[in-house]
Amino acid sequence: MHQMKQPEILSRFCSEFTGLLDHNLPGAEAHERLAPSNRSELLKLGKNGPAPQLSGVLILMYARREQINLVFIQRSIYKGIHSGQVSFPGGKADPQDRDLAQTALRETFEEVGVHPDSIDFI
């Protein structure tokens, strides 16, 4: 990816975040704790629905005035389950995507116009 000088606050965050990835993350346990109380009912209903689609999202951060900011989008209003939701940029994988990282980069460019070459992955 494109390398440019990051603001100090973003460099510190990237270093600390990368260090966290060396440890076991709470994943499933945290997901269970934060899930809605009716999750088991929703899962039962979902078994009769369409299969989930492979997709990728990007947590896009940038520094401004010595603060780290995140980019969110609001999905279009339509008759679907994700209508109007606030989310990270991203979406469904296309067959030509090399991997989910490329999916996230492509979708981010399509949705917010940030070119993949200007993004550094951590």
Side-chain angles (χ1 to χ4, degrees), residues 53-72:
Q53 297 179 354
L54 197 58
S55 60
V57 299
L58 188 68
I59 301 173
L60 186 60
M61 298 179 288
Y62 64 97
R64 185 172 178 199
R65 296 188 187 121
E66 287 303 304
Q67 291 186 332
I68 296 173
N69 297 273
L70 297 174
V71 174
F72 293 98

Side-chain angles (χ1 to χ4, degrees), residues 3-4 6 11 22-23 25-26 29 32 35 42 57 69 73 83 110 116 121:
Q3 293 294 321
M4 59 185 203
Q6 294 179 342
S11 294
D22 294 335
H23 305 338
L25 299 175
E29 178 188 326
E32 191 67 31
L42 294 171
V57 299
N69 297 273
I73 63 165
S83 175
E110 290 173 6
F121 268 86

Side-chain angles (χ1 to χ4, degrees), residues 3-76:
Q3 293 294 321
M4 59 185 203
K5 178 133 176 62
Q6 294 179 342
E8 178 61 28
I9 190 165
L10 202 51
S11 294
R12 281 194 323 265
F13 175 84
C14 291
S15 273
E16 291 177 24
F17 183 80
T18 303
L20 289 174
L21 297 177
D22 294 335
H23 305 338
N24 289 331
L25 299 175
E29 178 188 326
H31 188 264
E32 191 67 31
R33 226 182 10 223
L34 296 172
S37 59
N38 64 341
R39 179 159 175 75
S40 60
E41 295 171 37
L42 294 171
L43 287 174
K44 288 177 195 169
L45 292 172
K47 290 184 192 263
N48 298 323
Q53 297 179 354
L54 197 58
S55 60
V57 299
L58 188 68
I59 301 173
L60 186 60
M61 298 179 288
Y62 64 97
R64 185 172 178 199
R65 296 188 187 121
E66 287 303 304
Q67 291 186 332
I68 296 173
N69 297 273
L70 297 174
V71 174
F72 293 98
I73 63 165
Q74 182 173 15
R75 298 204 175 275
S76 301

Side-chain angles (χ1 to χ4, degrees), residues 1-4 6 58 98-99 101-106 114-122:
M1 298 292 150
H2 176 75
Q3 293 294 321
M4 59 185 203
Q6 294 179 342
L58 188 68
R98 178 178 57 251
D99 53 26
Q102 186 177 17
T103 298
L105 289 169
R106 177 184 51 75
V114 176
H115 196 277
D117 288 343
S118 67
I119 297 173
D120 294 325
F121 268 86
I122 58 170

